[in-house]
Amino acid sequence: MSHLPRSEASRRHGRRSARRPLQGYSIMKIAFIGLGNMGGGMAANLVKAGHEVHAFDLMGAARDAAVQHGCVAFDDAGEAVKDVDAVVTMLPNGSIVKSVYTGSVIGKAPTGAVLLDCSTIDVATAREVIGLAESAGYAMVDAPVSGGIAAANGGTLTFMVGGSGEAFARAREVLDPMGKAVIHAGDAGNGQAAKICNNMLLGIHMIGTCEAFAMAEKLGLDPQTFYDISSVSSGQCWSMTSYCPVPGVGPQSPADNEYQGGFAAGLMLKDLRLAMDAAESADAAVPLAQRARALYEDYVGAGNADVDFSGIIRTLK
Ligand code: NAD
């Protein structure tokens, strides 16, 4: 499906007059590449903050949705980045990120533009792409996110940012309207390092939480009673008290919706594979994460890639 031509897109979004720039921030022209589940909402929040957003995605439907949110859609990534103050990418993996930056961003965007990759990718590729951008005269950060589609739509993501102090300061202005927290993790690639270590821990404690609930039940404990005890005892963790894998127990979570929505098991597996690569390159011992990766391989292999990652509890019962 083809997206609207730029003139039509500009005519149709018609919401610019209602934009309210955040206090203390200047209005920028921002190219946004990758308008999927996450990027679509993030681009819309940049529009809401008053910025002019030049949107590109390979999928016509994603470009059309961006136009509905007030973005200006482009046919080509190289065209979208011309004449902008910042470029944000939200793409599926490291090889796509590298090909977009080398093919359509570096050398096409003005060197004064700050570049931000918000995708979750491997640390090595993040550092390589930032090195290429810096050699060409750009300031660039890796800025992966914590928080799912709801946080992307609501502007409440947490950004963990790797790059120089100067690049971080410039990136922060772009990231603020999309997040509740923007944290400098250190040098280039450290945002991805933080993201991968965080999600490795999440994968491990979700499986641990599932095992504990499944065993408690087999030992004759009511799940709610176990929750009441463990949520105020030393076994307490985020997977239990914010994202409980048992339906009807704890706050509302994907378990209450047949494990739909939330964070897909396929994405958890992607992050655990990235963690294994990072562990190997850093010679780090991660025996529990290796086991978690194997369990999610089996779970996803059984046709559950799109099921919420907490649904793995059903394999333990
Ligand atoms: P998605 O598949 O919904 O969106 C990716 C988009 O990129 C798609 O619309 C696709 O058409 C587009 N795309 C692919 N190649 C492209 C190219 N060469 N040029 C332009 N567009 C291209 O994925 P998503 O869920 O939005 O995730 C994006 C990133 O965010 C991933 O790295 C993911 O790991 C990370 N992430 C996702 C979540 C989540 O809950 N979905 C949470 C945290 C982080």
Side-chain angles (χ1 to χ4, degrees):
M1 193 196 316
S2 167
H3 76 298
L4 295 169
R6 190 177 173 193
S7 55
E8 173 69 358
S10 303
R11 190 177 64 72
R12 276 194 51 186
H13 68 51
R15 296 181 196 177
R16 275 197 201 154
S17 55
R19 290 175 182 179
R20 298 254 187 291
L22 287 184
Q23 203 151 16
Y25 289 112
S26 48
I27 293 180
M28 287 182 268
K29 266 191 211 170
I30 302 173
F32 204 112
I33 303 174
L35 307 161
N37 288 321
M38 298 292 288
M42 292 164 72
N45 283 320
L46 290 175
V47 173
K48 279 186 203 149
H51 299 305
E52 178 175 324
V53 179
H54 293 192
F56 176 73
D57 192 287
L58 291 179
M59 306 292 290
R63 297 194 298 261
D64 289 347
V67 169
Q68 294 301 321
H69 286 111
C71 299
V72 183
F74 281 76
D75 281 326
D76 178 81
E79 286 296 315
V81 305
K82 264 189 195 166
D83 191 28
V84 295
D85 304 299
V87 178
V88 182
T89 47
M90 193 56 168
L91 295 161
N93 61 48
S95 62
I96 293 175
V97 167
K98 187 174 168 188
S99 76
V100 166
Y101 276 90
T102 53
S104 305
V105 178
I106 295 172
K108 302 241 165 83
T111 47
V114 60
L115 313 181
L116 304 86
D117 179 38
C118 296
S119 328
T120 301
I121 67 169
D122 60 287
V123 176
T125 302
R127 289 185 175 146
E128 184 188 353
V129 173
I130 292 177
L132 292 170
E134 286 178 346
S135 303
Y138 296 93
M140 180 170 179
V141 296
D142 54 302
V145 307
S146 180
I149 299 163
N153 291 336
T156 57
L157 293 165
T158 293
F159 290 93
M160 36 210 107
V161 186
S164 70
E166 188 231 324
F168 172 72
R170 293 181 60 201
R172 176 173 210 138
E173 196 173 344
V174 179
L175 296 173
D176 270 344
M178 300 187 284
K180 64 172 186 208
V182 180
I183 299 164
H184 192 193
D187 292 340
N190 281 18
Q192 298 295 352
K195 166 78 186 176
I196 284 164
C197 291
N198 179 74
N199 279 27
M200 181 177 87
L201 180 58
L202 172 62
I204 292 168
H205 66 62
M206 175 54 80
I207 291 174
T209 303
C210 292
E211 284 184 0
F213 271 106
M215 187 163 104
E217 205 174 326
K218 288 192 174 171
L219 292 172
L221 261 171
D222 170 59
Q224 181 64 53
T225 306
F226 176 60
Y227 178 89
D228 292 343
I229 294 166
S230 198
S231 64
V232 292
S233 300
S234 48
Q236 184 276 336
C237 63
W238 185 90
S239 293
M240 175 178 287
T241 51
S242 295
Y243 210 95
C244 188
V246 180
V249 178
Q252 187 78 17
S253 71
D256 300 311
N257 189 30
E258 289 293 320
Y259 302 96
Q260 295 307 306
F263 185 49
L267 287 176
M268 172 50 81
L269 178 57
K270 171 193 165 182
D271 291 353
L272 287 168
R273 285 174 173 156
L274 289 174
M276 294 304 96
D277 292 345
E280 198 178 323
S281 71
D283 198 21
V286 289
L288 284 181
Q290 276 171 344
R291 189 73 191 113
R293 194 266 313 262
L295 290 169
Y296 275 109
E297 296 269 12
D298 291 348
Y299 188 60
V300 169
N304 296 304
D306 296 328
V307 178
D308 184 76
F309 81 119
S310 65
I312 199 165
I313 193 170
R314 295 195 282 203
T315 67
L316 298 166
K317 284 194 169 183

